[in-house]
Each structure stands twice: as structure tokens, then as C-alpha cells.
Amino acid sequence: MNRLARLLAVGDKLNGFETARLLALTHMVQADAHISLFEAKYYYNSWRPITAIREGENDGNNNTAGDTNWNIPQRPEVRVTPPTPSYPSSHAANGGAAAELFKLFFGKDKKSFTIESISLPGTKRSYKSFSQLADEISLSRIYIGYHFRQDIIEGKKMGRQLSKFVFENNLRELP
């Protein structure tokens, strides 16, 4: 998100104060999102899809069956499931926080931008809104098999609420 904030600052020709504020707020919402969501993860302590599928026999519901041998199909770009609870999704919270911050900072959601992948050089994604970016970040966690839909819905909501608070209460220009 720092790279995106820099890209947006250059593209919109922000002055020094505006650029510093955007970068500082970006770092603040990302750090605060991580802190709050990891507290929530361990408070709720929800299992991940891989555990739910493997342990379906032990969930207290006679209508579900477990598959102890099930595994996320491994592809080179897919990493091992994180060893932390599932709910809420950290990617969704951070994506939601950044998208909300950019929306509040620039006064609109619809804004076209293109960013290049860090891990896949030459691969670029174009977006028409900050919400589109947050939605893609969130859905990627379901597609990769790391999260349930509720994890991303609540993670994104948590990130947006946190970002709104940070934006309205920090680094305001003095009258």
C-alpha cells in the first residue's frame, strides 16, 4: 500500500504536506489494522477451511464428513496456509483499510490506477476504484483456500471502520 500511496501522490502531484500526510496515514492504518485484527483472530480463534474440511467429523454436525487427507492443491504461487486463526482476514482488513483511506483522502472511490506486482515482475493490474482493489484483495484469500467468506466480509469492514477513525482523528491540518 505504501507503493500505491506513492504512485497516487505522484500521479495527483500532491505537495509535500499532502504527500507526507498520505504516506503517514497509510502506514498508520496498515499498522493499526494488523494490531487490531490479530487481537481479533486470537479472540475468536476460528479454524481455517483446511482444518474444517479435515476435521468435519468432529464439528458436532452429523451431516458433515471430514476428509483427513484433503489438502489445498499446491501450486508454485500458493504458500502453506498461515498458522494463525482464520477470522477475520488480515488481507481483507488491510485492503479495506487502505481503500477506505484512499477514498477519504482523495474524496472519491472511483479513481483509475495501475500497479505492478512485486513478486511477479512485469505483471500489472489496473483498477477503476479503490473498492475494486479491496474486493480483489479480499476475494483472493477465498480463492487461495485460506479463508471463509465471512472472514473477508468482516475483515474488510473492520479495516474500513478503523481507517475512517484514523483519517478523521489523526494528522489533520491545523487551522
Side-chain angles (χ1 to χ4, degrees), residues 36-173:
S36 60
L37 78 91
F38 273 97
E39 183 171 329
K41 277 183 179 293
Y42 286 97
Y43 177 83
Y44 293 106
N45 201 27
S46 298
W47 61 6
R48 289 194 179 263
I50 191 170
T51 308
I53 292 167
R54 289 178 178 171
E55 297 292 324
E57 299 288 334
N58 304 315
D59 68 354
N61 182 342
N62 293 332
N63 294 320
T64 58
D67 181 352
T68 56
N69 296 317
W70 188 86
N71 215 341
I72 294 174
Q74 293 300 306
R75 299 182 312 271
E77 70 277 10
V78 177
R79 293 165 179 81
V80 177
T81 302
T84 58
S86 184
Y87 178 88
S89 164
S90 59
H91 271 70
N94 279 285
E100 186 68 17
L101 171 65
F102 297 148
K103 184 173 104 177
L104 292 167
F105 189 92
F106 292 101
K108 60 185 176 182
D109 185 32
K110 292 186 187 285
K111 185 164 183 63
S112 295
F113 56 95
T114 300
I115 53 177
E116 185 172 344
S117 171
I118 293 173
S119 56
L120 301 170
T123 303
K124 296 180 181 181
R125 291 285 301 133
S126 295
Y127 299 92
K128 294 184 182 197
S129 70
F130 299 123
S131 294
Q132 181 188 6
L133 172 69
D135 290 345
E136 255 190 42
I137 289 169
S138 297
L139 289 173
S140 74
R141 303 295 93 190
I142 293 175
Y143 299 153
I144 202 169
Y146 290 175
H147 286 287
F148 297 103
R149 183 162 299 274
Q150 196 63 28
D151 302 343
I152 68 162
I153 289 170
E154 294 301 322
K156 194 164 52 170
K157 178 179 167 187
M158 182 178 170
R160 285 192 321 260
Q161 290 172 340
L162 180 142
S163 190
K164 188 173 189 295
F165 179 84
V166 169
F167 181 80
E168 291 173 353
N169 292 284
N170 294 280
L171 307 178
R172 305 294 297 176
E173 190 169 4

